[in-house]
Amino acid sequence: YPVWTAFAGVLFRGEILASRQWLGIALAVLGTVVVILSGYSSRRSSQAAGEEVSGFGAGVVFGLLTSGFWALNSWAVAEGGKGISPWVGNSIRMIIALVLCGSASSLLRRRPVVSIPYSTLRPYLPIFALEAFGGSLLFIYGLTHASLAVAAALSSLAPVISVPISGLRGMEPISL
């Protein structure tokens, strides 16, 4: 995702990146590749000898497609957010998300899912609210006030925060 976004910045916004910025993006991508391959390796070692890891290749393909959409989102937010308040940009973005998610649900399911039961949502509501307003607002602000490469690289560092939290909570073992 940071690579595609950096290319969009260079191609469509005329941004010039220093060699060390390209090196930083390459290191971020290399770190991602290491995590992916270690995940593949650990899944493979936990299976019987000779048995193939199911769905791994499809997961990688869908991950690459997702990174392309994230880059498109970053570029669109950076371009569409120019000259408007991040609060307004965030509101527009959330309205578009509601319409797109509702439409996708209607197209992909026989009966559209229009809500999540409150009992399911309740424990996570503060986190959803914080991310929807805080995280998304900062994302828009960052993309409209920095080069695409810098903003994308910084916003793609979520695993640096989420993996240690997951490890500390005992949800996922941390390894080198």
Side-chain angles (χ1 to χ4, degrees), residues 55-68:
F56 186 80
V60 171
V61 169
F62 282 116
L64 286 170
L65 289 171
T66 300
S67 76

Side-chain angles (χ1 to χ4, degrees), residues 3 6-7 24 29 62 68 74 90 116 134 145 167:
V3 173
F7 281 135
V29 171
F62 282 116
S74 297
N90 193 35
I116 299 172
H145 289 81

Side-chain angles (χ1 to χ4, degrees), residues 79-151:
E79 290 300 305
K82 286 181 183 174
I84 63 172
S85 159
W87 294 99
V88 172
N90 193 35
S91 298
I92 293 169
R93 203 165 164 254
M94 292 300 143
I95 291 168
I96 291 171
L98 285 171
V99 170
L100 288 177
C101 289
S103 300
S105 175
S106 295
L107 290 172
L108 298 174
R109 300 176 61 98
R110 289 195 176 117
R111 291 184 348 205
V113 176
V114 291
S115 68
I116 299 172
Y118 181 72
S119 60
T120 303
L121 185 62
R122 186 183 56 225
Y124 307 103
L125 200 54
I127 295 168
F128 284 143
L130 180 64
E131 195 290 322
F133 294 101
S136 198
L137 181 75
L138 292 173
F139 180 70
I140 290 172
Y141 187 86
L143 283 168
T144 56
H145 289 81
S147 73
L148 280 174
V150 169

